[in-house]
């Protein structure tokens, strides 16, 4: 199997690789603007067939109760991805615009390794708990609590970290005993479709357990929320789309997992190494062109050292020039599309209109005529009420905001509709932890700690989402709880 040669990807429906009823659509290299190839373009009928296959497989097979089979299939998929990892790496760099260095971590190898956690968890999980005998209402009863698969899961995923997010849904959902329909973003169809090829050619997944439906039409993905045959929707993407998923799912009261937007704060306290912390904040905001929901994009610094902080951040960010993602040293590659580049530029324009200034960056790089590149940009001179401080930009943009001490920093950090992530820097561990404890967010990095790990739950507060992905909490999102009471005589 050659993943990159003459690619025209297909749908995976009911165990077969098939063409899309709506023909094909192109996938574009965001660094070169060249057409890489085409993907199968599914229709509403194709999605209906995929949902039907997943429904039958769950209802009529023993997939949901055969833990050994599930574990074997997940490990086979992991091994197939490892065998083809170099081809997958090139596909990811080309289709996603992901810098090569990131494919050794969260863009590819990390998510593949994390499938072990899903398989291991299924193998060791306590699927039932014996609560013993009691006599509620005077009736002697033996009580058991069982944990079971929810049923058919519809997974809708974005383009920024496609392997990470696809596998973070597929792995636990299947390990828990569910069947699944995956609808990836139109910008990165190959990263999902290649899983279908590997599943058919290298695994024992029964027909209908995994279905992968690529489409240029976002409405095809919305059918997962609306269809009564789907028991749960697991969605990662923008908060606005998350609201639509939740509204569509309400008609059938299906379970909804939502991992949504962020506007996370990087808080530097007045005793921290300002230059070092600002440099880290700038590096983080530039990585993968800022296309990460948990990236810290508001830099909160002591007011007395504001100008120094802006200068330090700009010194680092201005040196991280947008570059060719195929090169080993590139940190900031392209954004995914011309549409996204234009959207980012509109935010930069709004910053100037509101009275801000650019300490570095501010637009398209002068030395790149092709590719969807935008300069890493530091915005100064605005407060937390500015548009660029309130809304998720999803680009390499860092807004520097002054604070007047720990309480004020916490107030500003929490003054956001989002609550996904945050960072606190201070050499005083007690002080840093006290600030971190007051942040209304789902993940916190203190002094450079790393929360990204297969066994750590990820998710947010407020409009950053509902539920958790990864870790044991993420596995259990895909389970129902059944209480069983047996008369004991």
């Amino acid at each position: 199997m050659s993943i990159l040669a003459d690619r025209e990807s297909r749908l995976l429906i009911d165990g077969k690789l098939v063409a899309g009823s709506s023909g094909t659509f192109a996938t574009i290299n965001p660094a070169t603007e060249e057409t890489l190839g085409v993907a199968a373009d599914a229709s509403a009928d194709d999605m209906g067939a995929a949902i039907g296959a997943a429904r039958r497989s769950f209802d009529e097979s023993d997939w949901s109760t055969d833990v050994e089979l599930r574990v074997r299939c997940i490990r086979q998929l992991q091994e197939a991805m490892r065998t083809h990892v170099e081809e997958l790496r090139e596909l990811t760099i080309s289709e996603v615009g992901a810098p090569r260095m990131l494919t050794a971590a969260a863009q590819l190898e990390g998510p593949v390794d994390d499938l072990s956690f899903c398989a291991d968890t299924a193998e060791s999980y306590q699927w039932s708990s014996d609560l013993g005998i009691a006599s509620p209402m005077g009736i002697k009863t033996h009580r058991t609590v069982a944990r079971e698969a929810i049923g058919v899961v519809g997974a809708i995923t974005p383009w920024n970290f496609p392997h990470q997010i696809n596998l973070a849904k597929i792995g636990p959902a299947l390990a828990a005993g569910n069947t699944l329909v995956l609808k990836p973003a139109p910008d990165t169809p190959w990263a999902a479709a290649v899983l279908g090829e590997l599943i058919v050619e290298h695994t024992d997944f029964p027909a209908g357990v995994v279905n992968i439906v690529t489409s240029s039409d976002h409405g095809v993905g919305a059918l997962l929320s609306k269809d009564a045959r789907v028991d749960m929707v697991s969605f990662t993407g923008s908060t606005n789309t998350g609201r639509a998923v939740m509204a569509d799912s309400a008609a059938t009261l299906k379970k909804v997992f939502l991992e949504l937007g962020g506007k996370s704060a990087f808080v530097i306290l007045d005793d921290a190494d300002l230059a070092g912390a600002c440099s880290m904040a700038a590096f983080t905001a530039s990585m993968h062109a800022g296309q990460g929901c948990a990236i810290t994009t508001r830099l909160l610094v002591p007011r007395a050292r504001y100008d120094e902080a802006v200068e330090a951040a700009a010194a680092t960010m201005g040196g991280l020039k947008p570059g060719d993602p195929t090169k080993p040293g590139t940190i900031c590659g392209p954004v995914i599309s011309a549409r996204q580049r234009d959207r980012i530029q509109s935010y930069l324009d709004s910053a100037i209109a509101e009275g801000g200034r650019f300490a570095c960056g501010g637009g398209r790089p002068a030395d790149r005529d092709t590719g969807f590149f935008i300069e890493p940009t530091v915005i100064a001179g605005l407060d937390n009420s500015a548009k660029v401080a309130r809304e998720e930009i999803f680009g390499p943009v860092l807004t520097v905001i002054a604070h007047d001490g720990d309480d004020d920093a916490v107030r500003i950090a929490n003054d956001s509709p989002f609550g996904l992530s945050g960072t606190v820097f201070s050499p005083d561990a007690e002080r840093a932890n006290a600030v971190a404890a007051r942040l209304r967010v789902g993940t916190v990095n203190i002094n450079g700690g790393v929360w990204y790990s297969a066994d750590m739950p990820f998710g947010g507060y407020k409009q950053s989402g509902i539920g958790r992905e990864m870790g044991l909490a993420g596995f259990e999102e895909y389970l129902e709880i059944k209480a069983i009471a047996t008369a004991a005589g």
Side-chain angles (χ1 to χ4, degrees):
M1 169 186 172
S2 177
I3 288 173
L4 289 175
D6 302 320
R7 272 198 71 75
E8 179 176 338
S9 68
R10 292 174 287 173
L11 313 176
L12 173 60
I13 298 178
D14 205 12
K16 297 181 177 64
L17 296 172
V18 299
S21 298
S22 298
T24 62
F25 65 102
T27 185
I28 307 297
N29 184 325
T32 66
E33 302 185 43
E34 296 173 342
T35 298
L36 296 168
V38 296
D41 201 1
S43 66
D45 288 343
D46 293 327
M47 178 58 82
I51 293 171
R55 185 77 264 168
R56 287 192 303 275
S57 183
F58 185 82
D59 292 342
E60 299 173 11
S61 78
D62 60 357
W63 173 259
S64 67
T65 57
D66 192 339
V67 176
E68 182 181 351
L69 173 61
R70 302 201 303 265
V71 168
R72 182 171 79 247
C73 289
I74 290 168
R75 295 200 194 283
Q76 288 171 335
L77 175 59
Q78 181 183 50
E79 182 57 31
M81 295 189 77
R82 285 174 170 166
T83 298
H84 293 279
V85 70
E86 293 309 322
E87 294 168 275
L88 289 167
R89 193 185 317 282
E90 298 309 316
L91 181 153
T92 306
I93 294 167
S94 297
E95 184 179 47
V96 183
R100 182 175 295 277
M101 65 176 293
L102 291 184
T103 63
Q107 280 288 7
L108 177 60
E109 293 185 45
V112 174
D113 290 344
D114 290 350
L115 286 173
S116 293
F117 177 83
C118 303
D120 292 347
T121 300
E123 272 186 321
S124 62
Y125 192 70
Q126 186 174 345
W127 296 96
S128 64
S129 302
D130 189 340
L131 299 188
I133 294 176
S135 297
M137 293 182 281
I139 300 172
K140 192 175 182 182
T141 302
H142 184 209
R143 291 92 38 76
T144 304
V145 175
R147 290 163 176 82
E148 303 176 344
I150 286 177
V152 175
V153 172
I156 305 171
T157 57
W159 43 259
N160 57 324
F161 283 81
H163 296 303
Q164 162 58 39
I165 301 168
N166 290 342
L167 295 180
K169 297 184 188 302
I170 288 175
L174 298 177
N178 301 281
T179 59
L180 178 137
V181 180
L182 171 64
K183 168 58 174 70
D187 301 277
T188 52
W190 284 1
V194 71
L195 297 177
E197 298 170 35
L198 295 174
I199 284 168
V200 168
E201 296 180 15
H202 299 286
T203 77
D204 297 325
F205 278 103
V209 168
V210 186
N211 303 272
I212 299 174
V213 180
T214 59
S215 177
S216 62
D217 182 359
H218 289 283
V220 169
L223 297 174
L224 289 167
S225 303
K226 298 173 181 178
D227 198 305
R229 294 172 295 176
V230 177
D231 300 293
M232 173 182 176
V233 172
S234 181
F235 170 80
T236 297
S238 72
T239 294
N240 284 338
T241 305
R243 291 190 186 98
V245 168
M246 197 170 188
D248 286 343
S249 299
T252 53
L253 291 177
K254 58 172 57 72
K255 183 174 181 178
V256 176
F257 165 82
L258 302 173
E259 197 277 287
L260 307 176
K263 195 68 189 178
S264 303
F266 192 117
V267 179
I268 301 177
L269 304 183
D270 61 15
D271 58 353
D273 171 6
L274 186 74
C278 287
S279 180
M280 181 174 288
F283 182 90
T284 300
S286 303
M287 186 173 60
H288 189 33
Q291 298 172 111
C293 54
I295 289 176
T296 43
T297 55
R298 290 182 295 155
L299 178 58
L300 276 53
V301 301
R303 187 176 302 278
R305 302 181 70 186
Y306 183 83
D307 291 342
E308 181 185 351
V310 169
E311 182 178 350
T316 295
M317 212 156 178
L320 297 172
K321 302 297 185 184
D324 182 349
T326 67
K327 303 298 184 184
T330 297
I331 302 300
C332 180
V335 297
I336 193 66
S337 64
R339 179 187 66 253
Q340 180 65 9
R341 182 190 58 204
D342 293 345
R343 178 178 178 273
I344 296 166
Q345 187 64 59
S346 73
Y347 277 103
L348 298 180
D349 295 344
S350 79
I352 298 301
E354 290 188 61
R357 63 180 176 87
F358 301 138
C360 67
R364 297 179 63 174
D367 61 344
R368 293 197 171 271
D369 296 328
T370 59
F372 308 130
F373 293 95
I374 200 152
E375 297 171 305
T377 301
V378 172
I379 297 173
L382 298 174
D383 63 22
N384 201 52
S385 66
K387 184 176 181 180
V388 291
R390 307 300 300 174
E391 299 181 16
E392 185 175 47
I393 299 173
F394 232 61
V397 181
L398 184 66
T399 302
V400 187
I401 301 169
H403 71 75
D404 294 308
D406 297 13
D407 290 345
D408 193 46
V410 170
R411 178 191 64 78
I412 295 169
N414 288 339
D415 179 18
S416 171
F418 302 108
L420 189 53
S421 190
T423 294
V424 180
F425 260 72
S426 169
D428 184 334
E430 184 176 353
R431 184 182 181 192
N433 276 280
V435 169
R438 296 163 64 191
L439 298 181
R440 299 292 295 165
V441 297
T443 60
V444 184
N445 153 4
I446 299 175
N447 292 330
V450 178
W451 45 257
Y452 173 73
S453 177
D455 59 349
M456 284 283 280
F458 173 71
Y461 292 14
K462 299 186 282 185
Q463 293 183 34
S464 286
I466 298 172
R468 292 295 180 270
E469 198 151 70
M470 303 177 69
L472 183 61
F475 178 81
E476 291 182 333
E477 290 284 352
Y478 295 95
L479 295 175
E480 293 279 22
I481 298 175
K482 178 182 287 183
I484 303 168
T486 304

